[in-house]
Amino acid sequence: DVYKRQHFLQAVIGVASAFIHRFPRAAARAALCAGALWALPAQATHIVVDTGHAPNRPGATGASGRVEYLYNLDVSNLVAADLRAAGDRVTQVAANGAEVELGKRSRMAPTADFFVSIHHDSMQQQYIDAGRQREFAGFSVFVSERNPKYEQSLRCARAIGEELVAAGEKPSLYHAEPIAGENRPLIDRRLGVHRFDGLAVLKTAPMPAVLVEVGVIVNPDEERRLARPDVIKRVAQAIARGARACQHP
């Protein structure tokens, strides 16, 4: 067997040598092509960017009357653009206004490497009724322990939180308050990472998944800031950097 393999390899080398001597230009072109293929980057990371809600069910209403879906669309479109510019493959969900069920959003591309859902926050109606809107501001990042890739989800949540903090954003911690409708376990106070096991888009995702509440749009001061193009750009870039960082630790 060893003799046969050696004989085969000698025959291949002989054919290759004869080809090079007889067709030097073709051999050079083949070598260049092989070198180019070798230099290609590894397969691009595939990230799903979900625009929270839809035009017919737009989510929260900001203090100005502008609906959450439009804020989500502004940020998610830029997140997707930044990821594509960095060489990642991106699937966008609901950015075209389509109504997609929550349990199906993360399954639009089930073999993707990561899923991130973009939202903007409201607050409990009791706080709005009490005129306390200006007391709450900042971002929150959520993961679900029912996601099959929980540890990776948590790593990505922390990476996104790190980038948002580095970009000058501050976490909102009110979702951890021990009141009805909140009381979400706070995993990382500095980075605003909470656990919300029942979130449909996270628990049904077959890949690591994170939901980001960019800011509180029922707070009129926060809403005005979040509507500024420079803030939208800075926040989107931070989310995109965090999403990429947790894929390439």
Side-chain angles (χ1 to χ4, degrees):
D1 288 341
V2 173
Y3 172 79
K4 288 180 179 179
R5 284 198 295 270
Q6 290 176 340
H7 183 72
F8 174 76
L9 288 173
Q10 289 172 352
V12 170
I13 293 170
V15 170
S17 299
F19 177 81
I20 292 170
H21 283 95
R22 189 170 181 180
F23 305 105
R25 291 183 180 177
R29 285 196 296 269
L32 285 173
C33 290
L37 288 172
W38 184 265
L40 285 175
Q43 185 177 3
T45 300
H46 186 183
I47 297 176
V48 179
V49 179
D50 173 49
T51 303
H53 301 288
N56 293 334
R57 297 180 183 179
T61 300
S64 70
R66 189 173 192 244
V67 295
E68 179 190 349
Y69 174 76
L70 297 177
Y71 287 104
N72 299 344
L73 188 62
D74 289 341
V75 174
S76 62
N77 277 339
L78 285 185
V79 171
D82 286 343
L83 291 170
R84 289 190 180 105
D88 292 315
R89 179 185 170 196
V90 177
T91 295
Q92 287 190 256
V93 176
N96 61 355
E99 190 82 42
V100 184
E101 293 178 23
L102 294 178
K104 294 182 179 179
R105 288 185 176 233
S106 61
R107 297 179 180 275
M108 298 287 284
T111 61
D113 300 294
F114 181 54
F115 175 93
V116 58
S117 186
I118 307 299
H119 287 254
H120 286 71
D121 221 346
S122 182
M123 64 181 67
Q124 293 294 317
Q125 189 62 44
Q126 60 182 299
Y127 295 144
I128 296 174
D129 294 342
R132 297 178 60 188
Q133 291 94 322
R134 284 185 165 87
E135 293 181 25
F136 303 93
F139 71 87
S140 302
V141 189
F142 293 96
V143 293
S144 172
E145 202 168 41
R146 291 163 68 180
N147 179 282
K149 303 289 180 63
Y150 172 68
E151 291 300 330
Q152 292 167 269
S153 299
L154 183 55
R155 185 176 72 235
C156 288
R158 285 191 165 118
I160 290 172
E162 287 281 9
E163 292 293 343
L164 285 168
V165 169
E169 298 298 307
K170 296 180 180 179
S172 169
L173 305 178
Y174 107 90
H175 289 291
E177 290 190 5
I179 60 173
E182 298 301 339
N183 201 25
R184 310 300 173 192
L186 183 59
I187 298 173
D188 193 313
R189 174 177 293 272
R190 184 176 69 85
L191 302 178
V193 179
H194 301 70
R195 213 183 78 219
F196 193 161
D197 294 338
L199 279 174
V201 292
L202 303 184
K203 71 180 182 179
T204 59
M207 71 288 285
V210 166
L211 186 147
V212 181
E213 296 278 7
V214 176
V216 183
I217 57 173
V218 295
N219 177 335
D221 302 326
E222 174 100 317
E223 184 190 27
R224 279 192 295 272
R225 189 182 72 85
L226 293 171
R228 285 168 30 197
D230 62 310
V231 174
I232 295 170
K233 181 179 180 180
R234 185 170 71 245
V235 166
Q237 288 175 337
I239 294 171
R241 283 195 301 270
R244 295 198 81 246
C246 72
Q247 305 304 313
H248 311 284

